[in-house]
Amino acid sequence: QLQASGGGLVQAGGSLRLSCAASGRTFSSYAMTWFRQAPGKEREFVAGISWSGRTSYADSLKGRFTMSRDLAKNTVGLQMNSLKPEDTAVYYCAARMTAVVSAPREYDYWGQGTQVTVSS
């Protein structure tokens, strides 16, 4: 029901835009969130947008990543700028009712993930 796309290989300093398309239900009452997981590391919170449109970001990513939402298309996006090699990870979108929380276990729906690789 969640399909993430837009990942790829980019050089450090470059940009990528990820997209997550929801199907099967309307996610307007849901919080949509991006997580990422690097090899050997735990899945970590990246950014989220609540049902009301309020965005939140991991402190370390503020200013570089921007999350957006298109309710008409039932999609969310993640614009990633000034990418660094440490941003390399599989990026997942997830959904839960109403509020954004940073714990992956609190999410009910997950996309399949899209690989982002940033070369130095």
Side-chain angles (χ1 to χ4, degrees):
Q1 291 184 331
L2 297 177
Q3 181 76 29
S5 62
L9 173 64
V10 64
Q11 289 187 332
S15 299
L16 281 175
R17 179 175 175 80
L18 306 183
S19 181
C20 178
S23 61
R25 64 176 63 229
T26 299
F27 282 83
S28 58
S29 298
Y30 285 71
M32 302 291 292
T33 299
W34 289 97
F35 291 87
R36 68 185 184 184
Q37 188 166 19
K41 295 187 177 181
E42 294 186 352
R43 195 165 295 189
E44 64 174 355
F45 172 80
V46 173
I49 187 164
S50 73
W51 70 275
S52 64
R54 180 176 180 179
T55 55
S56 56
Y57 299 90
D59 288 342
S60 62
L61 301 176
K62 287 180 180 178
R64 295 196 298 122
F65 288 16
T66 303
M67 189 166 180
S68 60
R69 179 178 68 179
D70 187 331
L71 290 176
K73 295 181 179 180
N74 224 17
T75 61
V76 294
L78 183 69
Q79 178 67 40
M80 306 185 295
N81 298 326
S82 302
L83 284 163
K84 303 175 181 180
E86 52 263 42
D87 294 318
T88 295
V90 178
Y91 284 70
Y92 299 89
C93 60
R96 68 185 300 274
M97 287 294 290
T98 61
V100 174
V101 297
S102 61
R105 66 180 180 273
E106 299 294 333
Y107 285 78
D108 302 307
Y109 303 96
W110 288 87
Q112 86 289 1
T114 185
Q115 176 72 46
V116 171
T117 303
V118 184
S119 63
S120 57

